[in-house]
Amino acid sequence: MEQFMDMVRAYADALGVRPSTVIQRAAKLGGSAWSKWEAGDGSPTLKTADKIVKYMEQNPAQTETETTL
């Protein structure tokens, strides 16, 4: 779970958004879902985690080099 959370955090940082924004875009979840996951009050289902990972793979964050071209 922590590896998944770290991956979402890194992706969000690369985009300049909050992790909650990533999961809202990827899995149509409310903003409070991320807070609950971080607090240990819940966790994503495997289906939801897979959906978020797939979204991040299909929508890679642009690197600084790509944005200056």
Side-chain angles (χ1 to χ4, degrees), residues 16-54:
V17 300
R18 295 174 183 228
S20 59
T21 302
V22 173
I23 66 165
Q24 285 173 342
R25 292 176 183 172
K28 312 293 189 258
L29 296 174
S32 65
W34 180 260
S35 303
K36 290 178 184 176
W37 298 349
E38 280 198 308
D41 293 334
S43 59
T45 63
L46 287 176
K47 183 177 179 178
T48 298
D50 286 345
K51 189 183 290 189
I52 294 168
V53 170
K54 184 176 179 179

